């Protein structure tokens, strides 16, 4: 769901932009520069507090965030991820197989947030239980947009509910979802529409916690990097996470 321009959100962006770019260049975050410098992964890189503020700046606000809080109530926010894409993305990522590289380029590295791959067997298990994904652009760019498969959240929700049926919540992280996830993901690619989501500074988008999504390869003549701050607060009530709409 995309939300239109909001002056409150624009003011928040203005308050975090300088520390965000500082975080990208700080030595302790150097390991987040991946894909031969075309992607700054930036997990928890913005030094924001539980209200989304980089002190002494503004707390996160605006229509998109207020809408999100109505879904599961007010949740403590983790430091925001700073996802920065540069011209030429995606280049090969260190340690990534050729097949994974092709998937990143051809399928936008489509994934379900919170689903973790365990090596060496490459089993997929739930490791995080997010309430929602809120994306807030911190730079103006139409290149390398977010990609979402329309209606994919319904198929992935059905897969997860079937996989966890009869399993205590405390054991969900032990359930191997590899085969079920691979099958439903293939079905999504065949039956769900791929939608590119672009947003300007002052706008935002909210992604369903079960939606298959990714990032499109860089295209066009733009040369400035695009930066998006992402918030994915976790739910402690796993049953609600699974069963809510």
């Amino acid at each position: 769901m995309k939300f239109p321009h909001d002056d409150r959100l624009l003011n928040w962006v203005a308050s975090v932009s300088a520390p965000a770019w500082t975080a990208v260049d700080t030595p302790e975050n150097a390991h987040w520069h991946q894909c031969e410098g075309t992607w700054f992964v930036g997990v928890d890189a913005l030094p924001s507090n539980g209200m989304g503020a980089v002190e002494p700046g503004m707390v996160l606000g605006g229509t998109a965030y207020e809408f999100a809080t109505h879904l599961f109530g007010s949740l403590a926010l983790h430091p925001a991820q700073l996802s920065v894409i540069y011209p030429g993305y995606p280049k090969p990522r260190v340690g990534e197989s050729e097949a994974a590289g092709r998937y990143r380029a051809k399928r936008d590295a489509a994934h379900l947030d919170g689903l973790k791959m365990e090596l060496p067997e490459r089993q997929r298990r739930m490791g995080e239980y997010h309430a929602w994904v809120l994306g807030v652009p911190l730079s103006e760019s139409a290149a390398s947009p977010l990609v979402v498969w329309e209606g994919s959240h319904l198929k992935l929700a059905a897969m997860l509910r079937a996989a966890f049926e009869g399993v205590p919540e405390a054991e969900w992280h032990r359930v191997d979802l590899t085969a079920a996830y691979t099958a439903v993901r293939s079905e999504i690619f065949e039956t769900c529409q791929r939608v590119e989501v672009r947003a300007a500074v002052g706008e935002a988008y909210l992604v369903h916690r079960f939606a298959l999504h990714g990032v499109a390869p860089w295209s066009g003549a733009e040369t400035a990097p695009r930066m998006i701050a992402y918030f994915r607060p976790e739910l402690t009530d796993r049953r609600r996470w699974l069963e809510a709409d």
Side-chain angles (χ1 to χ4, degrees):
M1 179 182 296
K2 182 177 173 180
F3 292 81
H5 179 92
D6 188 317
D7 283 340
R8 291 176 295 168
L9 187 60
L10 185 65
N11 290 335
W12 179 82
V13 169
S15 77
V16 304
S17 287
W21 287 111
T22 297
V24 172
D25 295 327
T26 194
E28 54 262 38
N29 288 330
H31 62 292
W32 290 129
H33 289 276
Q34 296 289 326
C35 297
E36 298 183 6
T38 61
W39 180 29
F40 179 77
V41 183
V43 175
D44 292 350
L46 184 69
S48 52
N49 62 23
M51 296 182 292
V54 179
E55 298 177 356
M58 296 180 58
V59 300
L60 181 63
T63 304
Y65 177 60
E66 290 172 353
F67 183 93
T69 62
H70 288 311
L71 299 175
F72 294 102
S74 295
L75 301 170
L77 298 174
H78 58 92
Q81 177 188 7
L82 296 174
S83 176
V84 186
I85 302 293
Y86 297 85
Y89 173 84
K91 300 291 186 181
R93 188 174 186 179
V94 174
E96 194 170 62
S97 67
E98 289 186 13
R102 289 193 299 271
Y103 181 80
R104 180 179 300 279
K106 294 183 178 181
R107 291 296 193 186
D108 311 297
H111 61 281
L112 170 64
D113 270 6
L115 188 63
K116 304 295 186 180
M117 180 184 290
E118 297 181 352
L119 299 175
E121 293 83 4
R122 299 175 64 84
Q123 290 183 334
R124 296 179 184 271
R125 306 175 192 270
M126 287 308 304
E128 298 172 355
Y129 301 83
H130 303 133
W132 34 260
V133 180
L134 177 65
V136 183
L138 302 186
S139 67
E140 296 286 1
S141 177
S144 203
L146 171 79
V147 177
V148 178
W149 277 262
E150 195 171 74
S152 60
H153 66 289
L154 300 174
K155 295 180 182 295
L156 281 163
M159 180 274 289
L160 291 167
R161 289 164 187 163
F164 294 148
E165 185 176 4
V167 181
E169 292 95 314
E171 299 297 316
W172 286 357
H173 67 284
R174 300 183 185 276
V175 177
D176 183 2
L177 299 170
T178 310
Y181 172 69
T182 301
V184 75
R185 190 179 63 181
S186 296
E187 180 184 344
I188 287 168
F189 290 146
E190 292 295 327
T191 61
C192 295
Q193 183 177 356
R194 176 185 179 275
V195 178
E196 295 186 353
V197 182
R198 292 177 171 83
V201 174
E203 300 176 339
Y205 47 77
L206 193 66
V207 181
H208 194 282
R209 65 192 183 282
F210 295 149
L212 190 72
H213 62 284
V215 177
W218 190 279
S219 62
E222 291 187 56
T223 58
R226 77 110 175 101
M227 176 191 282
I228 298 176
Y230 283 107
F231 290 97
R232 302 177 183 84
E234 286 205 52
L235 285 173
T236 56
D237 186 342
R238 295 185 180 181
R239 182 62 58 181
R240 191 177 179 202
W241 169 85
L242 181 66
E243 296 179 351
D245 291 337

